[in-house]
Amino acid sequence: MELELESIKKPVILSGVTPSGILTIGHLAGAITNWVKLQEEFECFFMIADLHAITVRQNPAELRKRTLETAAMFIAIGINPEISTLFIQSHLPEHSQLTWVLNSIAGVGECNRMTQFKDKSKQHSENVNVALFDYPVLMAADILLYQSDLVPVGEDQKQHLELTRNLAQRFNHHYSDTFKIPEPYIPKLGARIMSLQEPDKKMSKSDPNQSATIFLTDSDNEIKNKIKRAVTDSGSEIKFSNDKPGISNLITLMHLATNKRISEIENMYVDKGYGVFKTDVADAVANYLRPIRERYLELINNKQELIDILTKGEENARRIAAKTLRKVYKKVGFVQF
Ligand code: ATP
Ligand code: LTN
């Protein structure tokens, strides 16, 4: 059935990932597995945020490749295109169009307070561009176009969501009720996976040290070698605690891969050393990621299935986004025939 704004009965969820690198087991644990679970209960829109990607310098061929890879990986992990809408942000000009209108009510001062803008301006001091400054307004457009109720995001994006709510309220107040006011959705479960080399730092797709990160495309051997070389703590006890960040991270990975409770994992390894534990975690994580990687490779090697899914996603998304944008254009006083 074709999706229409009026026919949506469930609360709406929208989220996105910027295709600026290969997805890691951190994204899987902290974001995408949660999205998979939300699909039944909510009307979900998942987006590959390529417009956001170009706020920092990208290699065009690389961006094109990463965008499709990210979409394939979402499906491989369990985003079901039969029930959720999966699309590429730049395929819908409505995102840029609504951004322009929202720019007219967004304050320079409030955008200047965004900590991500400050951080990224430092990181990319050679290229502090206007789009980077506008990043949160584009994110607000993403969310408001679909009349989203809930937006699953990490802590780092909460400030952008607060801005989104302010812009929506301001627009509704200036013109008249147009946008639903979205809420952030920070999942209770969602494990945080730490770097295998510096376990007090989040595992990140852009870590220059490749052995710190498990990419979802890594082969069995790469996964196993990275886990076996992971930094562990002093002592020999397999225990989840703040003063054992290395071992705690491996326990979290074991929990993710096997669904066993943390206490159960600790009990299984009471009398065993780090060596045995690491080998078992390595095998468990490799077994867990193998079917995901196999499905991913199937999609990436047969692009037509992927293109069909993204085209259908684009069409579904457009019906909702175009409707909101028409309303907005009318309210701000653009002539419509
Ligand atoms: P970068 O490394 O390029 O700064 P990133 O890898 O931190 O980016 P994002 O693309 O900003 O990732 O992440 C999208 C979402 O995935 C985040 O909001 C966060 O919820 C989740 N995420 C990313 N890395 C992890 C991690 N190591 N553990 C748990 N969740 C994560
Ligand atoms: N900025 C987000 C990705 C993103 C997003 C969105 C998330 C772009 N648009 C809309 C939620 C809703 C990130 O870097 N994680």
Side-chain angles (χ1 to χ4, degrees):
M1 201 180 71
E2 288 187 345
L3 202 60
E4 295 287 350
L5 197 52
E6 296 74 15
S7 65
I8 296 179
K9 298 280 180 289
K10 302 176 190 166
V12 173
I13 277 196
L14 175 130
S15 200
V17 164
T18 311
S20 52
I22 305 172
L23 293 175
T24 73
I25 196 165
H27 294 102
L28 179 70
I32 309 168
T33 42
N34 285 311
W35 299 358
V36 170
K37 290 187 204 129
L38 295 168
Q39 292 180 105
E40 298 288 340
E41 210 183 319
F42 298 91
E43 187 67 53
C44 292
F45 294 85
F46 298 119
M47 176 187 77
I48 320 295
D50 54 349
L51 296 176
H52 278 105
I54 62 162
T55 58
V56 301
R57 199 102 57 211
Q58 298 290 337
N59 169 320
E62 195 71 4
L63 177 61
R64 202 170 290 127
K65 184 163 163 272
R66 294 266 178 268
T67 300
L68 290 177
E69 285 173 354
T70 308
M73 201 50 100
F74 278 16
I75 299 164
I77 295 169
I79 298 300
N80 178 355
E82 293 297 321
I83 55 174
S84 298
T85 300
L86 177 64
F87 66 98
I88 297 175
Q89 189 185 28
S90 67
H91 286 182
L92 285 118
E94 288 83 355
H95 289 249
S96 313
Q97 292 170 301
L98 181 59
T99 301
W100 185 252
V101 175
L102 294 177
N103 276 339
S104 71
I105 60 163
V108 169
E110 62 189 341
C111 290
N112 231 342
R113 281 198 294 279
M114 296 292 119
T115 54
Q116 182 179 293
F117 173 65
K118 291 186 211 168
D119 292 347
K120 289 207 172 172
S121 302
K122 279 195 205 115
Q123 262 174 43
H124 304 274
S125 55
E126 76 303 339
N127 177 27
V128 182
N129 59 69
V130 178
L132 185 64
F133 185 68
D134 210 22
Y135 181 115
V137 183
L138 173 59
M139 199 164 144
D142 300 337
I143 296 166
L144 299 178
L145 273 176
Y146 300 91
Q147 304 290 351
S148 311
D149 294 277
L150 291 175
V151 185
V153 280
E155 281 293 324
D156 59 324
Q157 299 294 317
K158 259 175 89 178
Q159 201 186 17
H160 293 164
L161 212 71
E162 209 36 59
L163 179 80
T164 303
R165 288 166 55 85
N166 289 338
L167 293 178
Q169 275 155 349
R170 199 172 302 154
F171 189 96
N172 286 352
H173 180 74
H174 270 313
Y175 299 98
S176 63
D177 217 20
T178 307
F179 296 122
K180 201 174 260 176
I181 313 297
E183 300 277 347
Y185 182 85
I186 316 269
K188 288 184 279 309
L189 281 168
R192 197 169 149 83
I193 308 294
M194 310 309 280
S195 153
L196 295 178
Q197 292 299 317
E198 297 165 80
D200 36 20
K201 244 180 55 185
K202 192 182 88 165
M203 183 184 282
S204 159
K205 60 183 179 292
S206 45
D207 195 319
N209 182 353
Q210 297 262 308
S211 50
T213 306
I214 300 174
F215 294 103
L216 296 178
T217 48
D218 282 349
S219 67
D220 279 8
N221 272 340
E222 283 167 323
I223 297 168
K224 290 183 190 177
N225 286 333
K226 285 179 184 181
I227 293 178
K228 286 182 191 156
R229 287 202 309 267
V231 168
T232 43
D233 320 282
S234 55
S236 59
E237 222 186 341
I238 314 292
K239 189 141 192 59
F240 193 99
S241 81
N242 285 342
D243 59 351
K244 289 174 104 39
I247 284 297
S248 299
N249 194 33
L250 294 181
I251 296 178
T252 306
L253 285 173
M254 188 69 153
H255 162 68
L256 176 74
T258 60
N259 226 352
K260 287 196 167 73
R261 286 195 311 277
I262 304 288
S263 56
E264 199 179 334
I265 298 169
E266 288 172 339
N267 287 338
M268 280 167 63
Y269 291 94
V270 181
D271 296 318
K272 309 222 168 76
Y274 285 173
V276 177
F277 179 57
K278 274 179 153 180
T279 306
D280 287 358
V281 177
D283 290 341
V285 173
N287 289 339
Y288 174 62
L289 293 184
R290 194 177 308 116
I292 296 176
R293 184 177 62 247
E294 283 171 358
R295 174 70 177 126
Y296 162 81
L297 288 172
E298 218 176 86
L299 284 156
I300 253 342
N301 293 325
N302 161 27
K303 293 258 168 41
Q304 197 52 50
E305 186 183 352
L306 193 56
I307 293 169
D308 291 345
I309 290 171
L310 291 168
T311 307
K312 180 173 154 252
E314 175 189 339
E315 286 163 2
N316 270 339
R318 171 153 306 116
R319 272 191 294 280
I320 314 296
K323 185 143 203 167
T324 303
L325 187 72
R326 253 195 317 277
K327 233 175 166 180
V328 168
Y329 269 23
K330 190 165 163 212
K331 296 207 180 182
V332 299
F334 295 161
V335 172
Q336 281 173 339
F337 295 123

